[in-house]
Amino acid sequence: MHQHLDLELARKVLSAQPFSTLVGARLSAFGEGEATLEFDIRGDLLQQHGTVHGGVLGYAADNALSFAAGSVAGSAVTTAGFSIDFLRPARGELLRARAQVVRAGRTRVVCRCDLSTVDTEGAETLCAVAQGSIAVLEPRAGFAAGTPPVSGRASTV
């Protein structure tokens, strides 16, 4: 049986991810097939042209997609693959990645994600879109309910 996640537990899972802590990521919404990941845009997350680095946008998409999947499939999920299209340079005060489940199967969950920047007035600008396939794993031996797993290709959300 998969571990059920609520917003509080999902935030604990996120805080157990060192890279998420590094970028200052936070979950602002979670549940019923959706997840929203946000973080402040800082100078150390930019590339040489002053926009958010594509790798940081990829991280945001990957994690938002897997958290959206985790909201319906439980904590034992991992990203099997995703694609991202960059639409415009990401500039602003805040990066927001909103993901939602498209279809939840027994072993795979397909999700999509819109990545937007938010300016000082609160206006959102869509900067990238992503779609991913999230694998539903069998709970591992020794996986304790309530233990925050770690996201990534070799581990769980």
Side-chain angles (χ1 to χ4, degrees):
M1 177 152 193
H2 295 293
Q3 177 185 9
H4 174 73
L5 294 176
D6 58 17
L7 180 58
E8 182 182 341
L9 183 55
R11 285 178 170 158
K12 287 180 184 176
V13 170
L14 183 68
S15 70
Q17 299 173 354
F19 191 78
S20 293
T21 301
L22 179 69
V23 299
R26 55 197 174 268
L27 277 171
S28 60
F30 176 85
E32 299 181 17
E34 298 185 356
T36 302
L37 183 76
E38 298 178 339
F39 54 87
D40 298 325
I41 296 174
R42 310 182 318 244
D44 59 351
L45 301 177
L46 307 180
Q47 41 87 306
Q48 72 275 16
H49 300 294
T51 62
V52 178
H53 192 283
V56 175
L57 293 171
Y59 151 78
D62 179 14
N63 239 18
L65 291 165
S66 52
F67 271 94
S71 75
V72 298
S75 63
V77 298
T78 191
T79 302
F82 74 96
S83 64
I84 187 167
D85 288 294
F86 302 110
L87 307 176
R88 63 180 48 88
R91 294 185 176 95
E93 299 297 312
L94 177 83
L95 182 74
R96 179 174 292 146
R98 279 195 191 98
Q100 64 184 35
V101 171
V102 175
R103 182 181 184 279
R106 188 176 52 77
T107 61
R108 293 284 171 144
V109 181
V110 174
C111 302
R112 64 178 162 227
C113 181
D114 287 343
L115 295 101
S116 301
T117 55
V118 183
D119 66 17
T120 54
E121 286 84 41
E124 284 192 42
T125 302
L126 185 67
C127 61
V129 294
Q131 179 171 303
S133 176
I134 312 302
V136 179
L137 307 173
E138 293 298 319
R140 295 183 182 153
F143 181 75
T147 302
V150 179
S151 182
R153 287 190 172 74
S155 57
T156 57
V157 157

